[in-house]
Amino acid sequence: METVVSGIRPTGNLHLGNYFGAMKNFIKMQNENNCFFFIADYHSLTTHPTPGDLHGSVKQVLAEYLACGLDPEKATIYLQSDVPEVIELYLLLTMNAYVGELERTTSFKDKVRKNPENVNAGLLTYPVLMAADILIHNAAKVPVGKDQEQNLEMARKFARRFNNMYKQEYFVEPQPFNFGENLIKIPGLDGTGKMGKSEGNGIFLIDDEKALKKKVMRAVTDSGPTEMNSEIAEPIQNLFTIMDVVSEKSTLDFFKEKYANCDIRYGDLKKQIAEDINLFISPIREKINDIKSNDEYLRKVALMGAEKARESASKTIKEVRKIIGFRPF
Ligand code: TRP
C-alpha cells in the first residue's frame, strides 16, 4: 500500500476526457493505495475568486468527483483549507525555497506573461505549497500530468534539501504515479488533438442533452470517403473513438461498415453519438445534482476527510517541528 496524494484545482467542470482519463484511474487507485484526494482551494486564491465563486466551485468539484466514484470510505477526501498543518509545513519549506529557482519555474513565467498585473507572492510560492500538500502525508506517489511534472520535481528537491539539512531521511521523495497503458485519451471534436479544458472543446458531464447535442453536431468532419475501405481520416476516427467508449459495439461496427462502404452520413453518425453520450452521462449528471443539493452529505464527507487528513498531517508536523528544533522547555 503506497501513499498517494492528488490535488484537484476547483476550476472548471469534468469533461469526458477527464472521466475516461484521470478519473478512471483515481477510482482504481483508491482501491489499491492509501489515497489522499483534496481540493486545492488555497491554490485557487492566486486568481482572486469572489467568496461566492470560491465556495461554489469547491462544492461543484467535490460533487463531481464524488458522483464519478471517488469514495470517502476508501480514500481520504478533504479540502486543503481544512488542514492547517499544510500551511505550517508550507511556511517551514519556504525558508529553504530560493526566490531565484521559484522565479525560473515554467508555470510561474507563464503566469507572469499572461497576467502581468497580478504577479502575487502566492503565485511565486505555488510549488512550495504544492510540495507541502504532498510531503505533509509523506506520499510516495503523485499522479501528475505533463504540466505538473516540474512542480513535482521541486517537491522532491525541497524534500531532499530538508533531509540534507537535518541529516536524516525524513521525507520521501515523491515520484510520479504511472498510469501505464491505462490512460485512455479522448479526442476533441475539433478535428485534431485531445479533449481539454484549455482547448475549449470539452463535453462536460453536466452538459444537458441540448447543449451536448449542439457540440456534437458541430464536430469537424470531412467531405466523406470516396474509395471503399479507405483509411479513416483523423476527425472521423476521433468520432469513432468517442463512440467506442459511449456506444454499444454493434453501433460502432454499423457506422464503421457504412464508412468502409462509402455510404456513411455524418449527420446520422453525430446524432447517434450525441444520443449515446447523453445516455452515458445522464445518470452521472443526475448524481452530481443530487449530491450538490445535499449539503448534509457534503458536510459529512468534508468532516470525515478533514479528520483523517489531519491525523496524518499532525503526525508529520509534530515530527518535523522536533527535527527542526522546536522543543518544549
Ligand atoms: N497544481 C495542481 C494542478 O494545477 C494541483 C495541486 C495542488 C496538486 N497541490 C497538489 C496536485 C499536490 C498534486 C499534488 O493541477
Side-chain angles (χ1 to χ4, degrees), residues 28-41:
K28 203 162 152 250
M29 221 155 59
Q30 69 183 355
N31 291 321
E32 300 160 2
N33 300 279
N34 180 23
C35 285
F36 292 88
F37 298 117
F38 69 94
I39 316 258
D41 50 1

Side-chain angles (χ1 to χ4, degrees), residues 163-182:
N163 291 347
N164 289 339
M165 180 153 187
Y166 296 105
K167 299 187 178 46
Q168 53 181 297
E169 291 300 303
Y170 181 72
F171 285 123
V172 175
E173 290 182 29
Q175 305 297 324
F177 189 101
N178 196 349
F179 291 128
E181 300 295 292
N182 290 326

Side-chain angles (χ1 to χ4, degrees), residues 5-9 38 40 43 126 130 133-134 142 144 148 151:
V5 166
S6 184
I8 300 156
R9 250 174 315 161
F38 69 94
H43 276 114
Y126 188 109
M130 181 159 159
D133 293 327
I134 300 164
V142 181
V144 284
Q148 297 297 316
N151 283 339

Side-chain angles (χ1 to χ4, degrees), residues 38-239:
F38 69 94
I39 316 258
D41 50 1
Y42 279 137
H43 276 114
S44 75
L45 297 183
T46 56
T47 58
H48 304 162
T50 66
D53 285 350
L54 175 66
H55 180 72
S57 48
V58 167
K59 184 173 179 179
Q60 181 70 33
V61 83
L62 182 57
E64 291 194 9
Y65 275 78
L66 290 169
C68 288
L70 276 204
D71 185 345
E73 301 288 339
K74 292 180 182 160
T76 301
I77 304 169
Y78 63 100
L79 308 190
Q80 185 184 32
S81 61
D82 279 339
V83 183
E85 290 82 0
V86 171
I87 303 308
E88 186 170 348
L89 184 58
Y90 162 70
L91 175 93
L92 299 172
L93 293 176
T94 56
M95 305 304 167
N96 281 310
Y98 292 95
V99 173
E101 67 187 337
L102 295 173
E103 281 172 339
R104 283 191 297 275
T105 326
T106 345
S107 53
F108 179 70
K109 287 194 289 191
D110 268 1
K111 282 169 188 157
V112 171
R113 202 163 27 80
K114 285 185 192 141
N115 300 87
E117 75 297 341
N118 183 26
V119 185
N120 59 66
L123 217 49
L124 183 69
T125 58
Y126 188 109
V128 189
L129 181 54
M130 181 159 159
D133 293 327
I134 300 164
L135 302 182
I136 197 76
H137 302 300
N138 239 324
K141 293 279 164 69
V142 181
V144 284
K146 264 245 155 305
D147 63 325
Q148 297 297 316
E149 272 170 10
Q150 192 178 28
N151 283 339
L152 184 58
E153 200 183 305
M154 295 188 76
R156 279 197 291 277
K157 198 189 269 181
F158 299 144
R160 208 175 309 132
R161 228 174 250 168
F162 182 95
N163 291 347
N164 289 339
M165 180 153 187
Y166 296 105
K167 299 187 178 46
Q168 53 181 297
E169 291 300 303
Y170 181 72
F171 285 123
V172 175
E173 290 182 29
Q175 305 297 324
F177 189 101
N178 196 349
F179 291 128
E181 300 295 292
N182 290 326
L183 213 56
I184 300 177
K185 280 211 174 66
I186 301 296
L189 296 174
D190 33 12
T192 61
K194 61 170 193 163
M195 187 176 285
K197 186 160 49 180
S198 42
E199 286 79 0
N201 60 5
I203 294 183
F204 299 102
L205 300 178
I206 55 157
D207 280 345
D208 62 24
E209 185 169 7
K210 208 172 134 208
L212 75 86
K213 189 163 181 192
K214 206 164 138 192
K215 289 181 187 175
V216 174
M217 295 315 282
R218 276 204 307 240
V220 172
T221 50
D222 57 16
S223 49
T226 50
E227 264 173 62
M228 300 282 273
N229 300 313
S230 59
E231 205 184 308
I232 304 175
E234 191 181 355
I236 314 307
Q237 182 52 53
N238 288 348
L239 290 175

